[in-house]
Amino acid sequence: AAVALAASASRRRSTGSVLRRTRNHQVSAVAMHGTPVCAGVVITGGAAGVGFAYADEFLARGHQVVICDVKDCSDAVESLKKKHGEKASIFSTVCDVSNIESINKLIDFVKDKIGVVHYWINNAGINGGRRRFTEISPETVEAVIRVNLGGILLCTHAAMRVMEQQAGVESHIFNTVGSGVKGGGTPGYVAYGATKRGLPQMTESLVKELEEGVQGYDAVETPGKVNCHCLSPGMVFTDLLLNDSTPELRKFPFGVLAAQPEEVAADLVPKIINVSGNGKSVEFLTVDKILTKFFQRFILGEKSKYIDDDGNVIKMPGADYADNGVRVLYNDMK
């Protein structure tokens, strides 16, 4: 028994030594069954808003994060390192999610910096401005389609090709949905609503392919397992929500249902990490949360923390705000 215990202890010391010597992405892969101890995370549209807040939450839990955006993310990285320490595993690169060449460069960057990807969050999106459909330019319509729908298709395609080759690793892709996803009209955001409406169908199609294959073709066994889900952050006080907004919209529904990026990330990141299976819908504004907010506002008469009675953004002491009322999350946030 003593010999067996000594051998066991020796194996544990040897394993610990090996893990300490391996690269981060190799360590993260050891937890291939269940929640990874140190996950690799990719977040598109991570320079500001809820994407930035997701990165903050993942880093607080000790994970490795790559953020990308169509603009430079270096100030965002500097801010996160200041908060989590210079050794925090946060990396950034510029990426246009509507461009295949740019996505390919992102993939190379991700492989180099974190190796294994456990969670890929398709967060990047634009709305094209709140206007009558015929008052926006064809170029704006095209841009919304290319980023919101085309970009997510292309990023998911690239991510899946990587994830399928991660031997023994179960990974997850999250497609961010928004207003219009359930089919309701989105006046002022016709193109945006149409692109978001397409994402559940895309995700459901991928889930069926991954689980059942494609009829008439041989089943494909891949070294890694990939799962696809929908992610719904709800209404978040970002440029996407507040640009071109009116006092009436800010009073309702924003003043009742909208939340700050940190609130949304604190709620959703644990749900993302603990997701299991395939084809899940991960939501911030769950039915019970909506009912609670309605009860607090319209029955109990509680005031909004963020919007006053005239529809103006309530500015927190010590915080900086952009002209549209969006709170600045870090210095030089653009």
Side-chain angles (χ1 to χ4, degrees):
V3 172
L5 287 172
S8 175
S10 176
R11 283 195 298 272
R12 288 196 299 272
R13 287 193 298 271
S14 176
T15 300
S17 177
V18 170
L19 289 178
R20 284 190 294 272
R21 290 197 303 268
T22 53
R23 286 171 59 95
N24 284 341
H25 67 266
Q26 292 171 312
V27 174
S28 66
V30 300
M32 62 185 72
H33 304 295
T35 302
V37 173
C38 180
V41 184
V42 177
I43 304 167
T44 68
V50 73
F52 176 84
Y54 289 150
D56 188 10
E57 281 293 324
F58 276 111
L59 289 172
R61 290 166 169 77
H63 300 299
Q64 306 171 91
V65 181
V66 169
I67 59 173
C68 70
D69 209 296
V70 72
K71 57 192 174 186
D72 181 58
C73 303
S74 57
D75 288 330
V77 167
E78 182 180 346
S79 173
L80 291 168
K81 280 185 174 289
K82 184 178 293 186
K83 180 175 181 179
H84 297 283
E86 282 300 315
K87 293 184 178 180
S89 295
I90 174 67
F91 311 95
S92 73
T93 187
V94 173
C95 179
D96 176 357
V97 298
S98 69
N99 181 278
I100 295 173
E101 182 180 355
S102 189
I103 294 170
N104 289 338
K105 289 179 181 178
L106 169 63
I107 292 295
D108 290 340
F109 183 85
V110 167
K111 288 180 178 178
D112 178 61
K113 297 300 181 183
I114 63 175
V116 171
V117 181
H118 295 88
Y119 306 105
W120 182 292
I121 302 175
N122 284 315
N123 172 69
I126 59 175
N127 62 22
R130 193 176 66 87
R131 294 286 190 279
R132 288 182 69 249
F133 188 55
T134 53
E135 291 177 0
I136 61 175
S137 68
E139 291 78 14
T140 298
V141 175
E142 181 185 40
V144 173
I145 296 169
R146 285 169 57 86
V147 172
N148 291 5
L149 187 56
I152 288 186
L153 279 163
L154 291 172
C155 283
T156 297
H157 184 267
M160 286 182 68
R161 285 189 162 189
V162 170
M163 292 170 163
E164 286 180 342
Q165 299 308 312
Q166 296 178 158
V169 177
E170 183 165 356
S171 52
H172 302 268
I173 295 173
F174 293 86
N175 297 320
T176 302
V177 298
S179 183
V181 68
K182 297 181 180 179
T186 55
Y189 299 110
V190 172
Y192 175 84
T195 58
K196 292 301 181 181
R197 177 67 166 162
L199 295 179
Q201 200 283 333
M202 167 199 163
T203 304
E204 289 170 15
S205 296
L206 287 171
V207 169
K208 284 188 173 291
E209 273 195 16
L210 290 165
E211 298 297 321
E212 303 170 13
V214 178
Q215 188 176 14
Y217 293 87
D218 293 336
V220 177
E221 294 292 331
T222 60
K225 178 173 173 52
V226 185
N227 303 286
C228 291
H229 316 276
C230 284
L231 180 66
S232 178
M235 297 180 187
V236 191
F237 286 110
T238 63
D239 290 335
L240 203 68
L241 187 74
L242 290 177
N243 279 349
D244 303 317
S245 64
T246 63
E248 289 74 25
L249 282 173
R250 292 193 290 271
K251 284 189 285 187
F252 182 82
F254 303 171
V256 178
L257 297 176
Q260 295 293 340
E262 299 94 331
E263 295 176 83
V264 176
D267 178 85
L268 289 183
V269 166
K271 293 176 181 177
I272 290 169
I273 292 172
N274 291 307
V275 75
S276 62
N278 206 351
K280 299 300 174 65
S281 180
V282 180
E283 301 178 328
F284 174 73
L285 279 176
T286 55
V287 172
D288 60 332
K289 189 172 291 184
I290 292 172
L291 292 175
T292 298
K293 287 177 176 289
F294 278 9
F295 181 80
Q296 291 171 335
R297 181 61 181 272
F298 299 115
I299 303 301
L300 299 182
E302 295 182 6
K303 300 284 189 180
S304 170
K305 295 186 294 183
Y306 306 119
I307 304 294
D308 66 21
D309 291 339
D310 296 319
N312 301 309
V313 172
I314 298 173
K315 297 181 178 180
M316 303 177 192
D320 293 326
Y321 289 80
D323 291 340
N324 61 2
V326 172
R327 183 168 52 83
V328 176
L329 301 180
Y330 58 88
N331 291 337
D332 299 320
M333 187 183 88
K334 303 177 181 63

